Amino acid sequence: MEIIGAVLNTSVEGINTMLDERDSDTLLKIVRMQRDYGAQRIALNCGSRFASEKEDLLWMAEEIHSAGPISLVVDSPDPEAHHMLLDHFFPKQDIPNELSKWMINSTSLEKHRMEQILPLVKSFRCQLTVILQDETGIPASVQDRIQLMPKLEEAAERYSIPRKDIFIDAGVFPLSTNHLSGKMYLETLRILRSQYPEYSTICGLNNISYGLPQEDALNSAFLAVLAAMGQTAAYVELTPSTGTAAAAVQTLLGEDHYCMEYLKRYRAGQLELS
């Protein structure tokens, strides 16, 4: 399962100050930390900074790429921000290679949102997170979520987007507001993997523990269950504990050749349970 580091979010303490000061050292330190904890991609989210969002995203993306290639996932409600960044990093619609594969996070299945975002995905051949939600609002049940899939199927066909490049986000909601939230997500995931295996799946892992104590215990356990059920990727605000859980999961799933990455991180002192 792919881990997307989700610490560079203006809802996380300290990120706004880093952006205000254009503090490259702190930015790159956070990126290194996320990579040390097992992130294969880095997510960027400046959604609370409406006036400067485009400039903030561009600055972070440029600074990160200047330190070495890594795939980025950009979270913004503004299609113009996505277009600006794609044009900047892939001029003349150069096709990203696998290392630099870009992901837009995200669109819903609302008609106006799809019409703004899907043409970009088609033109730049990037990947996309799609939230299972349309004009009717947040689905109340597992079946309500699954019933939206024909709408996604039609859109993927119309814009000729490969199914594997569409990452379905069926919505992880806090257990603190509904004790069945985890069970509902896992049941939705089971059906998606069974009936729509050609699509990728993704979620915001940390949502499950919001408002509860010992978040890392819940996040690490949920990560393991998701991996066992075939989840493709997850956005994670990585900590030493969740990073260790991610390393263990990758090794147990046979995705770590001869356990070399696990051993490398052990020798570097990067496996911790706190």
Side-chain angles (χ1 to χ4, degrees):
M1 184 169 72
E2 185 175 24
I3 304 298
I4 300 172
V7 176
L8 290 172
N9 186 319
T10 50
S11 67
V12 174
E13 184 178 358
I15 301 302
N16 278 302
T17 300
M18 179 201 76
L19 289 167
D20 289 338
E21 297 176 357
R22 290 295 190 257
D23 184 351
S24 298
D25 289 342
T26 296
L27 172 65
L28 297 180
K29 180 180 178 180
I30 291 170
V31 171
R32 285 193 297 273
M33 176 271 291
Q34 291 182 95
R35 298 194 77 171
D36 287 346
Y37 290 162
Q40 290 107 321
R41 303 198 210 194
I42 301 296
L44 310 179
N45 185 332
C46 300
S48 64
R49 296 169 64 93
F50 305 108
S52 62
E53 183 191 25
K54 292 179 186 176
E55 293 79 9
D56 293 335
L57 288 170
L58 181 59
W59 174 74
M60 283 201 291
E62 285 187 324
E63 291 295 315
I64 292 168
H65 273 289
S66 72
I70 186 169
S71 183
L72 297 180
V73 178
V74 177
D75 188 349
S76 172
D78 183 0
E80 292 184 6
H82 292 295
H83 201 170
M84 178 268 294
L85 287 163
L86 287 164
D87 266 337
H88 180 82
F89 285 99
F90 308 112
K92 299 180 182 178
Q93 299 178 357
D94 290 342
I95 305 305
N97 60 38
E98 283 304 309
L99 182 62
S100 63
K101 194 75 171 179
W102 195 277
M103 185 187 289
I104 292 175
N105 179 27
S106 59
T107 186
S108 66
L109 292 170
E110 296 166 278
K111 185 174 184 292
H112 74 282
R113 290 286 296 154
M114 289 194 291
E115 289 177 346
Q116 291 172 324
I117 294 295
L118 294 187
L120 293 177
V121 176
K122 179 179 180 179
S123 294
F124 289 93
R125 301 188 190 180
C126 56
Q127 295 176 327
L128 174 67
T129 293
V130 175
I131 301 169
L132 287 185
Q133 177 182 333
D134 64 6
E135 289 85 355
T136 62
I138 298 171
S141 69
V142 172
Q143 196 55 40
D144 288 341
R145 298 176 188 183
I146 298 301
Q147 285 178 352
L148 292 173
M149 283 303 298
K151 186 177 288 188
L152 177 55
E153 290 265 83
E154 190 277 330
E157 182 70 26
R158 177 156 38 101
Y159 288 94
S160 302
I161 300 172
R163 270 58 171 178
K164 66 181 177 61
D165 284 341
I166 298 175
F167 286 66
I168 301 171
D169 185 346
V172 170
F173 299 104
L175 290 167
S176 56
T177 60
N178 181 350
H179 71 281
L180 296 176
S181 292
K183 184 176 180 179
M184 286 179 62
Y185 182 83
L186 294 173
E187 177 61 14
T188 308
L189 176 61
R190 183 190 67 78
I191 295 172
L192 289 172
R193 301 311 302 151
S194 173
Q195 297 183 13
Y196 301 95
E198 65 273 28
Y199 289 88
S200 301
T201 54
I202 197 167
C203 70
L205 181 85
N206 291 71
N207 292 343
I208 198 69
S209 63
Y210 181 80
L212 293 173
Q214 297 294 336
E215 298 100 325
D216 278 354
L218 291 165
N219 295 337
S220 296
F222 198 50
L223 180 69
V225 176
L226 291 175
M229 292 185 64
Q231 178 93 350
T232 311
Y235 297 103
V236 186
E237 292 180 24
L238 286 160
T239 66
S241 291
T242 53
T244 296
V249 162
Q250 306 289 54
T251 303
L252 290 166
L253 290 177
E255 296 173 0
D256 181 5
H257 197 56
Y258 289 104
C259 308
M260 294 303 294
E261 187 62 27
Y262 187 86
L263 293 171
K264 175 184 174 182
R265 291 178 61 186
Y266 170 74
R267 294 181 184 120
Q270 294 167 354
L271 299 180
E272 303 177 39
L273 288 175
S274 58

